[in-house]
Amino acid sequence: MAIAIKIGFPTENDEGKPMTVDALKEEILINSNENTLLIFPKAKQLITSIRYWLEDMISAGARVVCIQIISNR
């Protein structure tokens, strides 16, 4: 939901109901292109389904940056 809002994509369906996570991912994927840049600062925390979705985003031409900061604390 946060990604769709920040990019400016709709988060509600035609009936005014909130979109499901899968519908939001599809909406973002459909509307992404080579000008799309997604940055994930906590890459290690991404769930597997989001990682697979990011592969689709990359295939669609989006640029994806995943960062994991390792602390020695």
Side-chain angles (χ1 to χ4, degrees), residues 24-56:
L24 285 168
K25 290 191 308 189
E26 186 65 25
E27 185 71 26
I28 294 167
L29 179 62
I30 290 169
N31 290 292
S32 295
N33 58 38
E34 64 277 351
N35 294 320
T36 304
L37 172 63
L38 299 174
I39 301 172
F40 293 89
K42 297 180 180 179
K44 190 173 183 178
Q45 297 176 358
L46 295 174
I47 60 174
T48 303
S49 64
I50 295 297
R51 291 178 189 199
Y52 287 126
W53 174 71
L54 288 176
E55 289 179 5
D56 294 339

Side-chain angles (χ1 to χ4, degrees), residues 53-70:
W53 174 71
L54 288 176
E55 289 179 5
D56 294 339
M57 292 292 295
I58 293 167
S59 294
R63 291 171 287 166
V64 176
V65 178
C66 296
I67 303 167
Q68 181 59 43
I69 298 172
I70 300 172

